[in-house]
């Protein structure tokens, strides 16, 4: 799944003024969207492991790669070949 965060996203003015960077929580929200797009709504989501390797800037295109199946997925967020973030999502059960 590819995504892009618009330059006018409400989280950007405070993160960081004059040189905005997409907050990690916004990136992780897109990861959860990708999982729910394939598996439906989920309950009790946990992220036991997340690592941010590089920043994502507004208007850059990134893609999410998922590996695994309910209730546990490994994810990678990439900009081209550059790893931006990786980790694991665990869900209790479908909603």
């Amino acid at each position: 799944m590819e995504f892009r965060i618009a330059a006018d996203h409400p989280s950007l003015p405070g993160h960081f003024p004059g040189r905005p960077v997409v907050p990690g929580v916004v990136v992780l929200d897109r990861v959860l969207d990708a999982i729910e797009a394939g598996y439906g709504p989920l309950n009790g989501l946990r992220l036991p492991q997340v690592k941010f390797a590089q920043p994502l800037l507004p208007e850059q295109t990134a893609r999410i790669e998922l590996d695994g199946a309910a209730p546990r997925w490994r994810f990678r967020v990439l900009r081209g070949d550059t790893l931006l973030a990786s980790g694991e999502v665990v869900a209790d059960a479908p909603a």
Side-chain angles (χ1 to χ4, degrees), residues 7-8 18 22 26 28 30 37-38 40-41 43-44 47-48 59-60 62 64 70 76 78-79 83-84 88:
D8 64 351
V22 176
V26 174
L28 293 176
R30 295 304 185 273
N43 283 328
L47 293 116
E59 302 297 339
Q60 290 183 330
I64 298 165
R76 294 177 359 131
L78 300 114
R79 181 184 58 240
L83 179 66
L84 304 177
E88 183 177 27

Side-chain angles (χ1 to χ4, degrees), residues 14-74:
H15 204 269
F16 296 92
R19 187 168 158 81
V21 175
V22 176
V25 69
V26 174
V27 174
L28 293 176
D29 189 52
R30 295 304 185 273
V31 170
L32 300 180
D33 288 347
I35 292 171
E36 289 188 336
Y39 293 90
L42 301 168
N43 283 328
L45 294 175
R46 294 177 286 129
L47 293 116
Q49 178 185 349
V50 175
K51 181 175 182 178
F52 293 96
Q54 295 285 324
L56 178 63
L57 302 178
E59 302 297 339
Q60 290 183 330
T61 300
R63 77 178 183 283
I64 298 165
E65 295 180 350
L66 297 173
D67 184 33
R72 184 179 298 267
W73 299 267
R74 303 245 349 117

